[in-house]
Amino acid sequence: MSTAKGMKLTLKVWRQKNAESKGNLETYELEDVSPDSSFLEMLDILNDGLIQKGETPVEFDHDCREGICGSCSLYINGEPHGPGRRITTCQLHMRSFNDGDTIYVEPWRAKAFPVIKDLVVDRSAFDRIQHAGGYISVNTSGNTQDANAIPVEKENADQAFDAATCIGCGACVAACKNASASLFVSAKISQYALLPQGQVEAKDRVQNMVKQAQEEGFGPCSNTGACEIECPKGISLENIARMNREYLAASLAK
Amino acid sequence: MSESKGLLKSHIVKKYWMAATGLFLCLFLVGHLAGNLQLFMTSYEGQLQFNEYAVFMTTNPAVKILSYLTYFSILFHAVDGVVITLNNRKARPEQYAYSKPGKNSMWSSRNMGILGTIIFVYIVVHMQNFWYEYKFGETPYMLSDNGAPLLMDGSEVKGGEIQNGAVYLNGDQVGDAMRDLYTVVQSSFQEPLLVAFYVLGMIAIAFHLVHGFQSGFQSLGLRNPKYSPLIMKAGYAFAIIVPLLFAIIPIYMLIVA
């Protein structure tokens, strides 16, 4: 693999000192980047160079680097997680780009996701939405019953699992023209709404989570479908329809 | 913000109203189109039938209720649409320096507000052209094939005279004269610029419907793997066929007449 020819790249990276300061796009030139390196490795190389020059490295979120933690969050060349489909930024490789390319790297843009520094945004709004209802009140300390004791229809179990694959990265918000969190919120609602254990709090859950999302400043859903296409886990718009249905039923009931 | 649980403030509830009024307006389009298709009959009988239809549409009480429901839907859809568009923009105060929205969504889905504004302007001009003209303008009157005035119910008044919209026979008023909306439409569409305006209006409606039809079902939660592909296809078919048939009428009037 080491025989691959190195790439020359121009990077336009969003630099912002802190939440209060005004940021700007900074231009960096990189030589001899391996096409086999991941996007985050490429940023590591950029940061090594910056540190050696005595400059402040570019701050960006990352953790597992294998597409499951939901930490990485970059808006690359006009799309969340870059040009690939069903991958996170850490799963994007430089072979997706061409030698001589200019690559724009920006943070998620949303009122509810304020920039903390450079490419890092505060996604605690997602945590607060979860706290508003993304749980079931079952006592699981020491008296957990067997999972198969309550029969669940296979189709429902599969759909609930698909919804639960959401890693909460926020790409749906980043992609949406209204910075709406509908795909995230609906996935977190669906993973319980489809299971018997989730029924007890179903009405409160949908009302409280939807309310919290709106209060955080996420926009309305315009059904453009951008979120579904950019979601690294392929969460379906069907979840948003389910949320709309659940919210209507809950609003009519109480 | 604590009141945002209130039904009117919720983003989702605003979308329910958008969907309900929008889908009702889709039904209205079908009814309106059915009426308009009568304009293709250029014979005297066709002209008479269209004008009798115009009388029915402006006098029938059931139609009246439907028309008020339609006006309400148009206005509510427009106002709700403006409010939603403003909320949409609030959620992203700082824009991306470089964005490729075309990679993940359709232009029409992202520009419903612009399309809606064009359609609203179109509706105002359209109402002025025909609705206002028919109600308050100086329209020509429909005559029988013998040249005698016709009453609103289509009966002929031999030897009658029309004055200020009423039919007089031997000096006595016998009823209101049937207005000739057909000729108003036909003569309006002799103006190529107006025809072009109407065709553009229909193109805007087509793009609005490409997104709006399926989006309405989605907002109301009416979606599942079995019938959603059907809704998508029906939406595309509706968005192409209905505005196309509407748009052909002014072109036909310009070319044939």
Short mmCIF file of all heavy atoms in Angstrom, two decimals, chain A residues 148-211:
data_model
loop_
_atom_site.label_atom_id
_atom_site.label_comp_id
_atom_site.label_asym_id
_atom_site.label_seq_id
_atom_site.Cartn_x
_atom_site.Cartn_y
_atom_site.Cartn_z
N ASN A 148 -36.50 -12.55 26.41
CA ASN A 148 -37.46 -13.25 25.56
C ASN A 148 -38.77 -13.57 26.28
O ASN A 148 -39.65 -14.21 25.71
CB ASN A 148 -36.85 -14.53 25.00
CG ASN A 148 -35.75 -14.22 23.99
OD1 ASN A 148 -35.85 -13.24 23.25
ND2 ASN A 148 -34.70 -15.02 23.99
N ALA A 149 -38.91 -13.14 27.52
CA ALA A 149 -40.14 -13.42 28.26
C ALA A 149 -41.33 -12.67 27.66
O ALA A 149 -42.47 -13.12 27.74
CB ALA A 149 -39.97 -13.03 29.72
N ILE A 150 -41.06 -11.52 27.06
CA ILE A 150 -42.13 -10.77 26.38
C ILE A 150 -41.94 -10.95 24.87
O ILE A 150 -40.94 -10.48 24.32
CB ILE A 150 -42.08 -9.27 26.73
CG1 ILE A 150 -42.16 -9.08 28.25
CG2 ILE A 150 -43.20 -8.51 26.03
CD1 ILE A 150 -41.85 -7.66 28.70
N PRO A 151 -42.86 -11.63 24.20
CA PRO A 151 -42.70 -11.84 22.75
C PRO A 151 -42.81 -10.52 21.99
O PRO A 151 -43.67 -9.69 22.31
CB PRO A 151 -43.86 -12.77 22.39
CG PRO A 151 -44.45 -13.23 23.67
CD PRO A 151 -44.12 -12.21 24.70
N VAL A 152 -41.93 -10.31 21.03
CA VAL A 152 -41.95 -9.12 20.19
C VAL A 152 -41.98 -9.58 18.74
O VAL A 152 -41.22 -10.46 18.34
CB VAL A 152 -40.69 -8.24 20.42
CG1 VAL A 152 -40.73 -7.01 19.53
CG2 VAL A 152 -40.59 -7.83 21.88
N GLU A 153 -42.87 -8.99 17.98
CA GLU A 153 -42.96 -9.31 16.56
C GLU A 153 -41.61 -9.05 15.90
O GLU A 153 -41.00 -8.00 16.13
CB GLU A 153 -44.03 -8.42 15.92
CG GLU A 153 -44.72 -9.01 14.73
CD GLU A 153 -45.79 -8.07 14.19
OE1 GLU A 153 -46.58 -7.57 15.02
OE2 GLU A 153 -45.80 -7.84 12.99
N LYS A 154 -41.18 -10.00 15.07
CA LYS A 154 -39.85 -9.90 14.44
C LYS A 154 -39.68 -8.57 13.69
O LYS A 154 -38.65 -7.90 13.82
CB LYS A 154 -39.69 -11.09 13.49
CG LYS A 154 -38.49 -11.02 12.57
CD LYS A 154 -37.20 -11.41 13.25
CE LYS A 154 -36.09 -11.56 12.23
NZ LYS A 154 -34.92 -10.76 12.57
N GLU A 155 -40.71 -8.20 12.93
CA GLU A 155 -40.61 -6.98 12.12
C GLU A 155 -40.40 -5.75 13.02
O GLU A 155 -39.57 -4.88 12.72
CB GLU A 155 -41.88 -6.81 11.31
CG GLU A 155 -41.70 -5.96 10.07
CD GLU A 155 -42.98 -5.90 9.25
OE1 GLU A 155 -43.47 -6.96 8.83
OE2 GLU A 155 -43.48 -4.78 9.06
N ASN A 156 -41.15 -5.69 14.12
CA ASN A 156 -41.00 -4.57 15.05
C ASN A 156 -39.63 -4.56 15.71
O ASN A 156 -39.02 -3.51 15.89
CB ASN A 156 -42.08 -4.63 16.13
CG ASN A 156 -43.43 -4.21 15.59
OD1 ASN A 156 -43.53 -3.78 14.44
ND2 ASN A 156 -44.47 -4.36 16.39
N ALA A 157 -39.19 -5.76 16.08
CA ALA A 157 -37.87 -5.86 16.72
C ALA A 157 -36.79 -5.35 15.78
O ALA A 157 -35.88 -4.60 16.18
CB ALA A 157 -37.61 -7.30 17.12
N ASP A 158 -36.90 -5.73 14.49
CA ASP A 158 -35.91 -5.30 13.50
C ASP A 158 -35.93 -3.78 13.32
O ASP A 158 -34.88 -3.13 13.28
CB ASP A 158 -36.18 -5.97 12.14
CG ASP A 158 -35.79 -7.44 12.14
OD1 ASP A 158 -35.13 -7.87 13.10
OD2 ASP A 158 -36.16 -8.14 11.18
N GLN A 159 -37.14 -3.22 13.21
CA GLN A 159 -37.24 -1.76 13.00
C GLN A 159 -36.75 -1.00 14.24
O GLN A 159 -36.13 0.06 14.10
CB GLN A 159 -38.68 -1.38 12.68
CG GLN A 159 -39.10 -1.78 11.27
CD GLN A 159 -40.49 -1.27 10.93
OE1 GLN A 159 -40.89 -0.19 11.32
NE2 GLN A 159 -41.22 -2.08 10.19
N ALA A 160 -37.07 -1.52 15.41
CA ALA A 160 -36.59 -0.87 16.65
C ALA A 160 -35.07 -0.90 16.69
O ALA A 160 -34.42 0.08 17.06
CB ALA A 160 -37.18 -1.57 17.87
N PHE A 161 -34.52 -2.04 16.27
CA PHE A 161 -33.05 -2.15 16.27
C PHE A 161 -32.44 -1.18 15.27
O PHE A 161 -31.44 -0.52 15.56
CB PHE A 161 -32.63 -3.59 15.95
CG PHE A 161 -31.15 -3.81 16.10
CD1 PHE A 161 -30.61 -4.10 17.35
CD2 PHE A 161 -30.29 -3.68 15.02
CE1 PHE A 161 -29.24 -4.26 17.51
CE2 PHE A 161 -28.92 -3.84 15.17
CZ PHE A 161 -28.39 -4.14 16.42
N ASP A 162 -33.05 -1.11 14.07
CA ASP A 162 -32.55 -0.17 13.05
C ASP A 162 -32.55 1.25 13.60
O ASP A 162 -31.59 2.01 13.38
CB ASP A 162 -33.41 -0.24 11.79
CG ASP A 162 -33.12 -1.50 10.98
OD1 ASP A 162 -32.09 -2.16 11.25
OD2 ASP A 162 -33.92 -1.83 10.08
N ALA A 163 -33.62 1.61 14.30
CA ALA A 163 -33.70 2.97 14.87
C ALA A 163 -32.61 3.15 15.92
O ALA A 163 -32.00 4.22 16.02
CB ALA A 163 -35.08 3.21 15.48
N ALA A 164 -32.36 2.08 16.67
CA ALA A 164 -31.38 2.17 17.78
C ALA A 164 -29.94 2.24 17.27
O ALA A 164 -29.03 2.50 18.06
CB ALA A 164 -31.55 0.98 18.72
N THR A 165 -29.73 2.01 15.97
CA THR A 165 -28.35 2.11 15.46
C THR A 165 -27.90 3.57 15.33
O THR A 165 -26.73 3.82 15.02
CB THR A 165 -28.18 1.42 14.08
OG1 THR A 165 -29.08 2.02 13.17
CG2 THR A 165 -28.42 -0.07 14.18
N CYS A 166 -28.81 4.52 15.54
CA CYS A 166 -28.44 5.95 15.52
C CYS A 166 -27.33 6.20 16.53
O CYS A 166 -27.45 5.84 17.70
CB CYS A 166 -29.65 6.81 15.84
SG CYS A 166 -29.25 8.54 16.20
N ILE A 167 -26.24 6.81 16.06
CA ILE A 167 -25.11 7.06 16.95
C ILE A 167 -25.11 8.50 17.47
O ILE A 167 -24.18 8.92 18.16
CB ILE A 167 -23.76 6.76 16.24
CG1 ILE A 167 -23.67 7.50 14.90
CG2 ILE A 167 -23.59 5.25 16.05
CD1 ILE A 167 -22.34 7.34 14.18
N GLY A 168 -26.15 9.26 17.11
CA GLY A 168 -26.27 10.62 17.64
C GLY A 168 -25.16 11.56 17.20
O GLY A 168 -24.75 12.44 17.96
N CYS A 169 -24.67 11.39 15.98
CA CYS A 169 -23.54 12.22 15.53
C CYS A 169 -23.99 13.63 15.15
O CYS A 169 -23.20 14.57 15.19
CB CYS A 169 -22.83 11.56 14.35
SG CYS A 169 -23.83 11.42 12.85
N GLY A 170 -25.27 13.76 14.73
CA GLY A 170 -25.78 15.08 14.35
C GLY A 170 -25.67 15.40 12.88
O GLY A 170 -25.94 16.54 12.48
N ALA A 171 -25.31 14.40 12.06
CA ALA A 171 -25.21 14.65 10.62
C ALA A 171 -26.56 15.06 10.03
O ALA A 171 -26.63 15.85 9.10
CB ALA A 171 -24.69 13.42 9.89
N CYS A 172 -27.65 14.52 10.62
CA CYS A 172 -28.99 14.86 10.13
C CYS A 172 -29.25 16.36 10.30
O CYS A 172 -29.79 17.01 9.40
CB CYS A 172 -30.05 14.03 10.85
SG CYS A 172 -29.87 13.94 12.65
N VAL A 173 -28.84 16.89 11.45
CA VAL A 173 -29.01 18.32 11.72
C VAL A 173 -28.14 19.13 10.75
O VAL A 173 -28.58 20.12 10.17
CB VAL A 173 -28.62 18.65 13.17
CG1 VAL A 173 -28.65 20.15 13.43
CG2 VAL A 173 -29.53 17.91 14.15
N ALA A 174 -26.89 18.65 10.58
CA ALA A 174 -25.94 19.36 9.72
C ALA A 174 -26.41 19.39 8.27
O ALA A 174 -26.21 20.38 7.56
CB ALA A 174 -24.57 18.71 9.81
N ALA A 175 -27.05 18.30 7.83
CA ALA A 175 -27.48 18.21 6.44
C ALA A 175 -28.75 19.02 6.18
O ALA A 175 -28.94 19.56 5.09
CB ALA A 175 -27.72 16.75 6.07
N CYS A 176 -29.61 19.08 7.19
CA CYS A 176 -30.93 19.68 7.01
C CYS A 176 -30.84 21.18 6.77
O CYS A 176 -30.13 21.89 7.47
CB CYS A 176 -31.78 19.43 8.25
SG CYS A 176 -33.42 20.18 8.14
N LYS A 177 -31.58 21.66 5.77
CA LYS A 177 -31.57 23.10 5.48
C LYS A 177 -32.15 23.90 6.64
O LYS A 177 -31.92 25.09 6.77
CB LYS A 177 -32.31 23.40 4.19
CG LYS A 177 -33.83 23.30 4.30
CD LYS A 177 -34.48 23.62 2.97
CE LYS A 177 -35.99 23.61 3.08
NZ LYS A 177 -36.55 24.76 3.77
N ASN A 178 -32.96 23.24 7.50
CA ASN A 178 -33.55 23.91 8.66
C ASN A 178 -32.86 23.52 9.95
O ASN A 178 -33.38 23.82 11.03
CB ASN A 178 -35.03 23.56 8.81
CG ASN A 178 -35.79 23.66 7.52
OD1 ASN A 178 -35.43 24.43 6.65
ND2 ASN A 178 -36.85 22.89 7.39
N ALA A 179 -31.72 22.84 9.88
CA ALA A 179 -31.06 22.32 11.08
C ALA A 179 -32.07 21.63 11.99
O ALA A 179 -32.11 21.88 13.19
CB ALA A 179 -30.30 23.42 11.82
N SER A 180 -32.90 20.79 11.40
CA SER A 180 -33.91 20.07 12.17
C SER A 180 -33.30 18.79 12.72
O SER A 180 -32.49 18.15 12.05
CB SER A 180 -35.11 19.73 11.29
OG SER A 180 -36.00 18.87 11.97
N ALA A 181 -33.72 18.43 13.94
CA ALA A 181 -33.20 17.20 14.55
C ALA A 181 -34.20 16.06 14.42
O ALA A 181 -34.11 15.06 15.13
CB ALA A 181 -32.87 17.46 16.01
N SER A 182 -35.15 16.19 13.50
CA SER A 182 -36.25 15.23 13.43
C SER A 182 -35.80 13.79 13.27
O SER A 182 -36.40 12.89 13.85
CB SER A 182 -37.19 15.60 12.28
OG SER A 182 -37.87 16.79 12.58
N LEU A 183 -34.75 13.56 12.48
CA LEU A 183 -34.33 12.16 12.26
C LEU A 183 -33.79 11.56 13.56
O LEU A 183 -34.14 10.44 13.94
CB LEU A 183 -33.29 12.06 11.14
CG LEU A 183 -33.11 10.64 10.59
CD1 LEU A 183 -34.36 10.14 9.89
CD2 LEU A 183 -31.93 10.56 9.63
N PHE A 184 -32.96 12.33 14.26
CA PHE A 184 -32.42 11.88 15.54
C PHE A 184 -33.55 11.63 16.54
O PHE A 184 -33.65 10.55 17.13
CB PHE A 184 -31.44 12.92 16.09
CG PHE A 184 -31.07 12.71 17.54
CD1 PHE A 184 -30.13 11.75 17.89
CD2 PHE A 184 -31.67 13.45 18.55
CE1 PHE A 184 -29.80 11.54 19.22
CE2 PHE A 184 -31.34 13.25 19.89
CZ PHE A 184 -30.40 12.29 20.23
N VAL A 185 -34.40 12.65 16.72
CA VAL A 185 -35.47 12.54 17.73
C VAL A 185 -36.39 11.37 17.40
O VAL A 185 -36.74 10.57 18.27
CB VAL A 185 -36.28 13.86 17.81
CG1 VAL A 185 -37.41 13.75 18.81
CG2 VAL A 185 -35.37 15.03 18.18
N SER A 186 -36.72 11.22 16.13
CA SER A 186 -37.66 10.16 15.75
C SER A 186 -37.03 8.78 15.91
O SER A 186 -37.73 7.82 16.24
CB SER A 186 -38.14 10.37 14.32
OG SER A 186 -37.09 10.14 13.40
N ALA A 187 -35.72 8.68 15.70
CA ALA A 187 -35.05 7.38 15.91
C ALA A 187 -35.08 7.02 17.38
O ALA A 187 -35.36 5.87 17.75
CB ALA A 187 -33.61 7.44 15.40
N LYS A 188 -34.83 8.02 18.23
CA LYS A 188 -34.82 7.76 19.67
C LYS A 188 -36.21 7.46 20.20
O LYS A 188 -36.36 6.77 21.21
CB LYS A 188 -34.20 8.96 20.42
CG LYS A 188 -32.74 9.21 20.06
CD LYS A 188 -31.86 8.01 20.36
CE LYS A 188 -30.45 8.17 19.83
NZ LYS A 188 -29.74 6.88 19.77
N ILE A 189 -37.24 8.01 19.53
CA ILE A 189 -38.62 7.69 19.92
C ILE A 189 -38.99 6.30 19.41
O ILE A 189 -39.56 5.48 20.13
CB ILE A 189 -39.59 8.76 19.36
CG1 ILE A 189 -39.44 10.06 20.15
CG2 ILE A 189 -41.04 8.27 19.40
CD1 ILE A 189 -40.09 11.26 19.50
N SER A 190 -38.61 6.03 18.15
CA SER A 190 -39.00 4.76 17.52
C SER A 190 -38.41 3.54 18.22
O SER A 190 -39.04 2.49 18.29
CB SER A 190 -38.56 4.75 16.06
OG SER A 190 -39.36 5.62 15.31
N GLN A 191 -37.20 3.67 18.72
CA GLN A 191 -36.56 2.49 19.31
C GLN A 191 -37.34 1.97 20.52
O GLN A 191 -37.21 0.81 20.90
CB GLN A 191 -35.10 2.75 19.66
CG GLN A 191 -34.88 3.73 20.80
CD GLN A 191 -33.40 4.08 20.98
OE1 GLN A 191 -32.61 3.89 20.07
NE2 GLN A 191 -33.05 4.56 22.16
N TYR A 192 -38.19 2.86 21.11
CA TYR A 192 -39.06 2.41 22.22
C TYR A 192 -40.50 2.21 21.75
O TYR A 192 -41.18 1.31 22.23
CB TYR A 192 -39.02 3.42 23.35
CG TYR A 192 -37.65 3.58 23.96
CD1 TYR A 192 -36.96 4.78 23.87
CD2 TYR A 192 -37.04 2.51 24.61
CE1 TYR A 192 -35.69 4.91 24.42
CE2 TYR A 192 -35.77 2.64 25.15
CZ TYR A 192 -35.11 3.85 25.05
OH TYR A 192 -33.86 3.97 25.59
N ALA A 193 -40.93 3.06 20.82
CA ALA A 193 -42.34 3.03 20.41
C ALA A 193 -42.71 1.69 19.79
O ALA A 193 -43.87 1.29 19.80
CB ALA A 193 -42.62 4.16 19.43
N LEU A 194 -41.71 1.00 19.22
CA LEU A 194 -41.99 -0.26 18.53
C LEU A 194 -41.96 -1.46 19.46
O LEU A 194 -42.25 -2.58 19.05
CB LEU A 194 -40.97 -0.45 17.39
CG LEU A 194 -41.17 0.47 16.18
CD1 LEU A 194 -39.87 0.64 15.42
CD2 LEU A 194 -42.25 -0.09 15.27
N LEU A 195 -41.58 -1.25 20.71
CA LEU A 195 -41.44 -2.37 21.64
C LEU A 195 -42.46 -2.28 22.77
O LEU A 195 -42.83 -1.17 23.17
CB LEU A 195 -40.02 -2.38 22.24
CG LEU A 195 -38.89 -2.56 21.23
CD1 LEU A 195 -37.54 -2.45 21.92
CD2 LEU A 195 -39.00 -3.88 20.49
N PRO A 196 -42.92 -3.42 23.28
CA PRO A 196 -43.92 -3.39 24.35
C PRO A 196 -43.43 -2.63 25.58
O PRO A 196 -44.22 -1.93 26.23
CB PRO A 196 -44.17 -4.86 24.67
CG PRO A 196 -43.20 -5.66 23.89
CD PRO A 196 -42.62 -4.77 22.84
N GLN A 197 -42.14 -2.73 25.88
CA GLN A 197 -41.60 -2.06 27.08
C GLN A 197 -41.70 -0.54 26.98
O GLN A 197 -41.66 0.17 27.98
CB GLN A 197 -40.13 -2.44 27.32
CG GLN A 197 -39.91 -3.89 27.70
CD GLN A 197 -39.74 -4.79 26.48
OE1 GLN A 197 -40.13 -4.43 25.37
NE2 GLN A 197 -39.16 -5.97 26.68
N GLY A 198 -41.81 -0.05 25.75
CA GLY A 198 -41.82 1.40 25.56
C GLY A 198 -43.20 2.02 25.62
O GLY A 198 -43.35 3.25 25.56
N GLN A 199 -44.24 1.16 25.73
CA GLN A 199 -45.60 1.68 25.61
C GLN A 199 -46.03 2.54 26.79
O GLN A 199 -46.77 3.50 26.63
CB GLN A 199 -46.60 0.53 25.42
CG GLN A 199 -46.36 -0.28 24.15
CD GLN A 199 -46.17 0.60 22.93
OE1 GLN A 199 -47.00 1.46 22.64
NE2 GLN A 199 -45.07 0.41 22.23
N VAL A 200 -45.56 2.18 27.98
CA VAL A 200 -46.05 2.84 29.19
C VAL A 200 -45.89 4.37 29.11
O VAL A 200 -46.82 5.12 29.38
CB VAL A 200 -45.31 2.30 30.44
CG1 VAL A 200 -45.88 2.93 31.71
CG2 VAL A 200 -45.43 0.78 30.50
N GLU A 201 -44.70 4.79 28.69
CA GLU A 201 -44.44 6.24 28.65
C GLU A 201 -44.53 6.82 27.25
O GLU A 201 -44.07 7.94 27.00
CB GLU A 201 -43.03 6.52 29.22
CG GLU A 201 -42.92 6.28 30.69
CD GLU A 201 -41.75 5.38 31.05
OE1 GLU A 201 -41.42 4.45 30.27
OE2 GLU A 201 -41.17 5.59 32.11
N ALA A 202 -45.12 6.07 26.32
CA ALA A 202 -45.09 6.47 24.90
C ALA A 202 -45.59 7.90 24.67
O ALA A 202 -44.95 8.68 23.96
CB ALA A 202 -45.89 5.48 24.06
N LYS A 203 -46.73 8.24 25.25
CA LYS A 203 -47.34 9.55 24.96
C LYS A 203 -46.48 10.69 25.51
O LYS A 203 -46.23 11.67 24.84
CB LYS A 203 -48.75 9.62 25.52
CG LYS A 203 -49.72 8.75 24.73
CD LYS A 203 -51.15 9.02 25.12
CE LYS A 203 -52.10 8.26 24.21
NZ LYS A 203 -52.04 6.80 24.46
N ASP A 204 -46.04 10.54 26.77
CA ASP A 204 -45.20 11.58 27.36
C ASP A 204 -43.88 11.69 26.62
O ASP A 204 -43.35 12.78 26.42
CB ASP A 204 -44.91 11.25 28.84
CG ASP A 204 -46.13 11.53 29.71
OD1 ASP A 204 -46.97 12.33 29.29
OD2 ASP A 204 -46.22 10.91 30.80
N ARG A 205 -43.35 10.52 26.22
CA ARG A 205 -42.04 10.51 25.58
C ARG A 205 -42.05 11.36 24.32
O ARG A 205 -41.22 12.27 24.17
CB ARG A 205 -41.63 9.07 25.23
CG ARG A 205 -40.30 9.00 24.48
CD ARG A 205 -39.91 7.58 24.12
NE ARG A 205 -39.83 6.75 25.31
CZ ARG A 205 -40.62 5.71 25.55
NH1 ARG A 205 -41.53 5.36 24.66
NH2 ARG A 205 -40.49 5.02 26.66
N VAL A 206 -43.00 11.08 23.42
CA VAL A 206 -43.00 11.81 22.14
C VAL A 206 -43.25 13.30 22.38
O VAL A 206 -42.59 14.16 21.77
CB VAL A 206 -43.99 11.19 21.13
CG1 VAL A 206 -45.45 11.37 21.57
CG2 VAL A 206 -43.78 11.77 19.75
N GLN A 207 -44.15 13.62 23.29
CA GLN A 207 -44.44 15.05 23.52
C GLN A 207 -43.25 15.77 24.12
O GLN A 207 -42.89 16.87 23.68
CB GLN A 207 -45.67 15.18 24.43
CG GLN A 207 -46.96 14.84 23.70
CD GLN A 207 -48.19 15.14 24.52
OE1 GLN A 207 -48.22 14.89 25.71
NE2 GLN A 207 -49.21 15.67 23.88
N ASN A 208 -42.63 15.14 25.11
CA ASN A 208 -41.52 15.83 25.80
C ASN A 208 -40.26 15.93 24.94
O ASN A 208 -39.57 16.95 24.96
CB ASN A 208 -41.20 15.10 27.11
CG ASN A 208 -42.34 15.24 28.11
OD1 ASN A 208 -43.15 16.16 28.01
ND2 ASN A 208 -42.42 14.31 29.05
N MET A 209 -39.99 14.87 24.17
CA MET A 209 -38.76 14.92 23.34
C MET A 209 -38.91 15.91 22.19
O MET A 209 -37.99 16.66 21.86
CB MET A 209 -38.39 13.52 22.83
CG MET A 209 -37.91 12.60 23.95
SD MET A 209 -37.51 10.93 23.40
CE MET A 209 -35.89 11.17 22.66
N VAL A 210 -40.11 15.92 21.57
CA VAL A 210 -40.37 16.86 20.48
C VAL A 210 -40.29 18.30 21.02
O VAL A 210 -39.70 19.18 20.40
CB VAL A 210 -41.75 16.57 19.84
CG1 VAL A 210 -42.23 17.75 19.00
CG2 VAL A 210 -41.67 15.31 18.99
N LYS A 211 -40.87 18.50 22.19
CA LYS A 211 -40.87 19.84 22.80
C LYS A 211 -39.44 20.29 23.09
O LYS A 211 -39.05 21.42 22.81
CB LYS A 211 -41.69 19.78 24.09
CG LYS A 211 -41.76 21.09 24.83
CD LYS A 211 -42.52 20.90 26.15
CE LYS A 211 -42.41 22.14 27.00
NZ LYS A 211 -42.23 21.83 28.41
#
